[in-house]
Amino acid sequence: MTVLTALPGPRRVLPVIAAIAAGWGVSAAAYFTGVAAILPLLVLLLAMSLVRGARTVLDQFVVAFSVLFGVTCLAGIGLSLWPWQLHPLPVAGAALTALALFAALTGRRPRLATRWRLADSLAALAAAAFAALVLRPFLGTDLAGRLGFIAKGEDFARHFIVYDSIGQIGGYTFLDPAGAERYNHPGLSLESYPQGMHFVLALLDRFWRSSGAPQADGTAAMDWLVWSYVAIFAFLGLAVIWAARRLAGFRLTAGRALLVFTVIVAWLYFGDPSGIFVRGFPNEILALGLMAIVAGLVARPLTSAGEQAVVLGTLLAAVAFTYYMFLPVAAPLVLYWLVSRRRRAWAAKGAVLTGLGLAVAGLVPIVANAKANKGSQLLLPGEIIPTSRSMTQILVLLALLGLVLAGGLRSRSRRAMLLALGAAVALVAGISGYQKIMIGQSIYYNEKAYHLLIILALAALGGMVHWLPRPSWRGRRLLPAALALVVLAAGVLVIGVRPRSARSSAVRAAQLFQGTYGAKPGGTANAIRTTRLYPDGAGKATVDLSHGDMRDFFSTLYGSVMQRDYRNGASWYTLLWEGMDPQPTIEDFDYRVTTSSRPVRFVVSDPAVTRLKASKPGEKAPTNLEAAERLAAKYPDRVEIVRLPS
């Protein structure tokens, strides 16, 4: 980190004032002309140009993005409390002012790196290829189809609640739990959930719309979150590829880069990471990308120790605000850098203290979410796709070979990545052991720990360059490497598909690529349809009984969050789960009608379908339409029936 210069004299004050005025002028012009969406890009570009410890523009992008994300999470506390909250004009003006002051105090001038190698081009190309794979199915369908790809459970709906609540109240919900109360269910306590990602997305939505007002349309808010989620998964690919490229260093020739990046992209899309994606875990995926960046920076630090300290401190805060379960792996990595580079760190002790302060500030979400910081939290079940243990073992073995062979233990960068893998393995073993002691099996959060191990092992594949042959496009050494890659890819797919057949991540990824994976058509479509018919529910809880299967569950769930009525919808959609035992009766529906704080709107279409069982043995269970009609006759002031075309 460049040492702060003396306070600028009169000759230097005027340019700073002019830069600040220009920043506010550009912000105002962009906002009032409806193109405020360019302002975050401008802030990112300027932040990149002020990074000095990076060698390439790709390094500058990754560093600037990481710092801006972490700083925005921290600044969100102030933005939630100041009078303008998430309004894009003052937020952009303040951000550009901060960059101008930073440039003045450090004596830096905007400058983008010009150094670029062919391996960097291949890294960018690999990241673009992964992004294209991710985007493909989402580009060819409407919101109902896009949401259907990732609406196979409840998690994404709950992330929408957090993100949308922040957008509606204009700040972190843990700072205004009373304001967020109407969007949440008392039993979930989502207002204290780590919400850095949700805050940033709610803020960017204001820029995208060039609006200082909350998003009124629930379906438009959902569409923004879905596209943001797609971008987050693409970012994970970029982060892993960048970390692998950084670990490989100068030994990453074009041929080796092609081999390593092909394996990484294939594993990311057709391996377990796609299983994470389709279950709707946006904050975890973003945190996984941040963890890959932490590992890459510790393995091969920035050239400026001060800048490295500040960036790592900001990343620790970013991980804490996003998914602090990963901090037990991130913190030892940062500590390793601090100890192994202690002489350089001591020379920049001011910046190190700044980084430490940023990391400590990142403890805010842990304190805010104190009720969940108990061992019993790790014992909670959840809907998740189990990772392939055999695939993970192969991946970790490949990573270890690259980190240990060819003098790996003498390499400081490869020792750092070994520490990352060791810490991830310890996290897996610790959670698994605790769960097996307490409940006799490993569940939900153990799979989350495996996710981190997989991502760090993929980043560690950059160490493969130390034992891969150097392919020669004109010689004969490329053929063995290419054949080995084909055999490896085939083995990964076979091992991934065979144990769980259609449940494997490889099969899910293939279905996603073809656009055939996701919730049954109709559920998400009805959720969007009813939300557009009844924004904010129009004073009633909307319950979809159109299909008689899981489509009613998803429609009622996602319809309730887009209508901002999850408080009432939660008691209804749980009745519509296919695996519910025992199945609900009309008496269960009757009880919900009488205890609901809102009147109920039953949406029906097919008169023959039913989700109910008979109240007494020997009786015939009523159809959904019959049940709705009986309840409407019994409670005419509390039940409405809406018939939609089949």
Side-chain angles (χ1 to χ4, degrees):
M1 177 71 67
T2 303
V3 178
L4 298 183
T5 61
L7 291 176
R11 294 182 180 180
R12 296 179 59 191
V13 169
L14 289 179
V16 174
I17 294 175
I20 293 173
W24 281 92
V26 169
S27 300
Y31 171 72
F32 288 114
T33 56
V35 292
I38 68 171
L39 295 174
L41 298 176
L42 176 61
V43 170
L44 176 61
L45 183 63
L46 289 174
M48 289 171 56
S49 70
L50 296 177
V51 174
R52 291 292 179 268
R55 292 184 173 89
T56 69
V57 70
L58 182 59
D59 293 340
Q60 286 182 312
F61 169 80
V62 171
V63 170
F65 175 88
S66 302
V67 170
L68 286 176
F69 178 78
V71 167
T72 304
C73 291
L74 293 168
I77 297 173
L79 297 181
S80 301
L81 300 174
W82 77 343
W84 306 280
Q85 294 186 317
L86 306 186
H87 197 293
L89 173 52
V91 171
L96 292 172
T97 297
L99 289 174
L101 292 175
F102 176 79
L105 292 173
T106 59
R108 299 185 182 189
R109 294 295 178 265
R111 184 178 74 239
L112 292 175
T114 57
R115 183 176 179 179
W116 195 261
R117 297 176 61 189
L118 181 56
D120 299 310
S121 298
L122 291 175
L125 183 62
F130 178 71
L133 287 171
V134 176
L135 277 170
R136 184 192 179 282
F138 289 86
L139 291 173
T141 185
D142 57 8
L143 173 57
R146 291 191 290 272
L147 182 57
F149 290 142
I150 52 180
K152 292 283 283 184
E154 302 173 59
D155 288 83
F156 196 76
R158 292 173 179 173
H159 286 293
F160 176 85
I161 293 170
V162 180
Y163 139 78
D164 189 56
S165 299
I166 291 171
Q168 295 301 308
I169 68 174
Y172 282 126
T173 60
F174 64 82
L175 295 175
D176 186 11
E181 184 178 3
R182 63 159 292 200
Y183 307 104
N184 193 6
H185 189 278
L188 283 180
S189 301
L190 291 178
E191 72 278 355
S192 59
Y193 188 82
Q195 49 197 249
M197 177 209 71
H198 309 85
F199 178 88
V200 172
L201 295 183
L203 178 62
L204 290 177
D205 170 65
R206 300 285 185 99
F207 281 95
W208 179 254
R209 294 184 292 111
S210 287
S211 173
Q215 173 61 267
D217 186 345
T219 60
M222 180 64 78
D223 205 24
W224 172 256
L225 184 61
V226 170
W227 281 119
S228 299
Y229 186 35
V230 173
I232 286 170
F233 194 38
F235 161 75
L236 173 63
L238 171 63
V240 172
I241 291 166
W242 176 85
R245 191 264 173 274
R246 194 158 183 88
L247 175 64
F250 69 92
R251 295 183 65 88
L252 190 64
T253 61
R256 288 168 174 165
L258 185 62
L259 294 173
V260 171
F261 294 154
T262 299
V263 173
I264 291 175
V265 170
W267 213 300
L268 279 170
Y269 194 81
F270 292 102
D272 288 305
S274 66
I276 310 172
F277 176 63
V278 297
R279 293 308 302 189
F281 302 141
N283 62 325
E284 183 197 349
I285 289 180
L286 180 56
L288 289 170
L290 296 174
M291 288 298 299
I293 294 172
V294 170
L297 285 173
V298 173
R300 193 171 295 276
L302 300 173
T303 57
S304 167
E307 195 164 85
Q308 171 86 355
V310 172
V311 172
L312 288 179
T314 309
L315 277 167
L316 284 178
V319 172
F321 267 85
T322 308
Y323 204 72
Y324 60 74
M325 174 183 161
F326 296 154
L327 281 179
V329 176
L333 281 174
V334 175
L335 183 61
Y336 170 81
W337 170 79
L338 195 60
V339 172
S340 63
R341 311 278 179 150
R342 53 189 175 277
R343 290 185 179 178
R344 296 186 62 202
W346 178 254
K349 51 184 176 294
V352 170
L353 290 175
T354 301
L356 179 61
L358 291 168
V360 171
L363 299 178
V364 168
I366 301 177
V367 175
N369 200 33
K371 291 182 180 179
N373 301 330
K374 303 174 183 177
S376 58
Q377 184 75 20
L378 295 175
L379 306 179
L380 296 178
E383 289 291 324
I384 197 166
I385 299 172
T387 56
S388 170
R389 302 300 194 257
S390 53
M391 286 182 69
T392 303
Q393 290 165 4
I394 292 174
L395 175 60
V396 172
L397 177 61
L398 283 173
L400 289 175
L401 288 175
L403 297 176
V404 174
L405 295 181
L409 296 180
R410 296 193 300 272
S411 166
R412 188 178 289 176
S413 61
R414 284 189 278 170
R415 288 202 306 269
M417 196 61 78
L418 273 172
L419 173 63
L421 284 183
V425 169
L427 183 65
V428 170
I431 294 177
S432 176
Y434 176 72
Q435 290 177 341
K436 288 180 178 178
I437 291 172
M438 299 301 295
I439 58 176
Q441 61 178 331
S442 57
I443 55 174
Y444 188 72
Y445 282 106
N446 186 52
E447 299 300 328
K448 300 276 191 175
Y450 266 104
H451 297 167
L452 179 58
L453 175 60
I454 289 168
I455 293 304
L456 292 179
L458 285 171
L461 293 182
M464 291 170 59
V465 300
H466 295 279
W467 56 267
L468 277 176
R470 183 169 184 171
S472 171
W473 305 110
R474 298 178 183 178
R476 292 175 293 179
R477 285 188 291 178
L478 176 62
L479 183 58
L483 289 175
L485 178 63
V486 171
V487 171
L488 174 63
V492 166
L493 291 177
V494 169
I495 293 172
V497 172
R498 187 174 57 186
R500 296 185 302 279
S501 186
R503 285 178 53 82
S504 74
S505 292
V507 170
R508 284 183 171 90
Q511 292 172 340
L512 180 64
F513 181 78
Q514 296 164 2
T516 59
Y517 178 82
K520 291 181 180 179
T524 52
N526 259 17
I528 294 162
R529 193 176 181 183
T530 55
T531 300
R532 288 172 176 165
L533 284 172
Y534 309 105
D536 292 326
K540 296 179 181 178
T542 303
V543 181
D544 191 359
L545 300 176
S546 301
H547 305 98
D549 54 28
M550 282 297 289
R551 287 174 290 184
D552 293 341
F553 171 89
F554 290 116
S555 177
T556 302
L557 167 60
Y558 282 90
S560 71
V561 300
M562 287 189 287
Q563 293 173 26
R564 285 128 185 174
D565 189 35
Y566 184 76
R567 290 178 66 84
N568 294 291
S571 65
W572 281 103
Y573 80 83
T574 52
L575 280 179
L576 305 178
W577 179 260
E578 277 186 339
M580 187 174 182
D581 186 23
Q583 285 185 291
T585 65
I586 192 172
E587 284 76 19
D588 294 315
F589 276 34
D590 189 302
Y591 176 76
R592 294 296 196 282
V593 169
T594 58
T595 57
S596 174
S597 62
R598 277 187 168 191
V600 180
R601 176 186 300 109
F602 289 119
V603 177
V604 296
S605 57
D606 188 342
V609 300
T610 184
R611 292 289 294 116
L612 302 172
K613 73 171 185 176
S615 301
K616 298 178 181 179
E619 288 185 355
K620 181 181 178 182
T623 66
N624 289 350
L625 177 58
E626 289 171 345
E629 289 175 338
R630 290 185 198 177
L631 293 171
K634 187 175 181 180
Y635 306 106
D637 59 334
R638 293 193 61 79
V639 175
E640 174 190 5
I641 299 176
V642 175
R643 290 175 172 83
L644 295 179
S646 299

